[in-house]
Amino acid sequence: MKIRYFDNAATTKIKKEVLEKMFPYLTQEYGNPSSLYTIGRRARAAVEEARQNVANLIGCEKNEVYFTGCGTESDNTALKGIMTLEKNKGKHMITSKIEHPAILNTCKTLEGEGIKVTYLNVNTEGIINMEELRNSITSDTKLISIMFANNEIGSIQPIEEIGKIAYEKHIIFHTDAVQACGNLEIDVKKMKIDMLSLSGHKIGAPKGIGALYVNKDIEFKNFMDGGHQERDKRAGTENVAEIVGLGEACKIAKNTLKHHIERLKELRNYFFSEIAKTDLNIKINGSIEQRLPGNSNISFKNINGSELLMKLDEKGICASSGSACSSGSSMPSHVLTAIGLTKEYEEGALRVTFGDENTKEDVKYLVENLVNIIHNIEEK
Ligand code: PLP
């Protein structure tokens, strides 16, 4: 059976060009980038080329990019690296209620260490309120960490406005851009972003590689102790092949961004219009306008989301009921709760996220199957 993959927010297929670029570094180019002989120097050059490609995608300088093991590590490094640095004044930070667990659970740990955290509300579209942000700032606030775009409902935050406020108040601004990177235009300097997390496997590179951008004027504490890699900020021999893969994925993303965004939007809008033509009773979760191009999240009233996913799987369709990290748990989604969804809609939420390989034909197949499956479940 043909697999129709509509879960590109969970992870993406590795791009062929990325794999080809990585291959030599998994075979003959096995040198350690810290070694001084030729194959070591070639590995170093490959890591630095990749660093430049990451920097080009988000508009920063090459030496402001640190490679990490994943988006989660980037988030941990940003939050702990700022909030636990002795030298930095301030024991308060601000985040939102709809962050990824990589942020929320890091905040919990920090709270255990005496840090005060304010969790901003979001409106029914999943967007924070700027007035609430302004009012939450105190003389003790050291960090604002607000995600660029949400992984479940795709809502895009007013990043430039947040950056402006943080800049005026001399507060460090971090954004988790794991979902946004490669799917939206990002310019960290224009947007006054001080720190940004990204992850390879959401943009056609492998799982287990991430990066953290840190403005060169900002001091942060290293998260790992060990050797001098990544300018003493991330010890451990560099994962050369995956770094090369991430660099190539960023280069492709930069070169194809406009077309990629248009294509995903077209598929997403086609899905919304096709589903609206059916007799299914649905509710769109999140914003229509301020939304990641490839994200759709809809709810079917009084439908069990897990049952729906299993029935879709029988037809070769991969989708999600929430974020991959929380699937398998029976806990309601903290994001859907935060936007005020009632239980009967929360349980029947379906996230469909589009990627390079999807076609309109696939979307038609998805809608046809949704109609049949929902009718069958309702008739039971
Ligand atoms: N932040 C967001 C918004 C995400 O969607 C994810 C992954 O789903 C992460 C962080 C974690 O990234 P990684 O899987 O690379 O650790």
Side-chain angles (χ1 to χ4, degrees), residues 65-71 74 198-200 206 208-212 242-243 246:
V65 174
Y66 299 86
F67 290 111
T68 64
C70 54
S74 300
L198 61 92
S199 174
I209 183 71
L212 176 67
E242 293 215 8
I243 288 173
L246 174 60

Side-chain angles (χ1 to χ4, degrees), residues 14-264:
I14 302 181
K15 287 187 162 69
K16 190 168 153 278
E17 303 90 320
V18 168
L19 205 54
E20 279 169 6
K21 186 91 182 181
M22 287 173 62
F23 192 71
Y25 299 95
L26 292 162
T27 49
Q28 75 271 23
E29 295 290 346
Y30 51 80
N32 185 322
S34 299
S35 300
L36 295 179
Y37 40 77
T38 308
I39 62 164
R41 292 203 308 273
R42 279 210 297 261
R44 164 64 51 212
V47 167
E48 295 315 314
E49 183 188 325
R51 201 185 306 282
Q52 185 65 60
N53 284 330
V54 176
N56 292 348
L57 180 63
I58 59 172
C60 68
E61 290 175 25
K62 177 170 162 275
N63 282 343
E64 294 177 313
V65 174
Y66 299 86
F67 290 111
T68 64
C70 54
T72 301
E73 188 190 320
S74 300
D75 284 343
N76 270 265
T77 307
L79 269 53
K80 293 173 182 169
I82 294 300
M83 297 310 294
T84 66
L85 186 69
E86 296 275 307
K87 220 180 116 199
N88 285 353
K89 292 199 307 288
K91 284 203 169 299
H92 175 235
M93 64 165 283
I94 299 171
T95 188
S96 83
K97 286 188 178 165
I98 62 163
E99 299 293 314
H100 188 273
I103 295 289
L104 292 177
N105 288 333
T106 304
C107 287
K108 257 190 218 157
T109 299
L110 288 170
E111 283 176 315
E113 291 167 15
I115 302 296
K116 193 168 176 294
V117 184
T118 300
Y119 299 88
L120 299 178
N121 294 302
V122 291
N123 63 16
T124 52
E125 301 206 325
I127 314 281
I128 64 158
N129 179 307
M130 298 309 290
E131 220 27 61
E132 192 188 353
L133 170 64
R134 271 195 204 90
N135 293 338
S136 302
I137 295 172
T138 71
S139 55
D140 213 29
T141 310
K142 191 154 67 173
L143 178 71
I144 296 173
S145 179
I146 302 287
M147 70 197 321
F148 208 115
N150 183 262
N151 44 303
E152 291 188 43
I153 54 170
S155 51
I156 302 169
Q157 300 301 334
I159 292 296
E160 217 166 323
E161 269 184 78
I162 302 169
K164 195 162 168 271
I165 292 175
Y167 181 78
E168 282 165 3
K169 301 274 182 193
H170 306 288
I171 297 166
I172 297 165
F173 175 34
H174 167 256
T175 187
D176 175 342
V178 167
Q179 294 290 337
C181 209
N183 288 314
L184 294 173
E185 295 269 1
I186 299 181
D187 182 335
V188 291
K189 299 297 170 187
K190 188 171 145 237
M191 295 171 163
K192 302 212 181 310
I193 297 167
D194 297 308
M195 304 176 101
L196 176 146
S197 303
L198 61 92
S199 174
H201 73 108
K202 311 289 183 180
I203 57 167
K207 294 157 192 64
I209 183 71
L212 176 67
Y213 145 77
V214 186
N215 181 320
K216 59 180 180 301
D217 298 332
I218 286 172
E219 257 191 81
F220 69 104
K221 196 170 164 228
N222 56 307
F223 180 52
M224 301 255 279
D225 290 315
H228 296 298
Q229 292 89 354
E230 297 298 288
R231 286 155 282 142
D232 286 331
K233 292 301 187 196
R234 204 285 186 171
T237 303
E238 296 88 340
N239 187 352
V240 179
E242 293 215 8
I243 288 173
V244 166
L246 174 60
E248 188 63 14
C250 287
K251 186 172 155 192
I252 297 170
K254 176 146 180 81
N255 291 339
T256 57
L257 193 60
K258 280 203 168 63
H259 174 71
H260 174 74
I261 291 174
E262 282 316 307
R263 210 179 156 274
L264 293 191

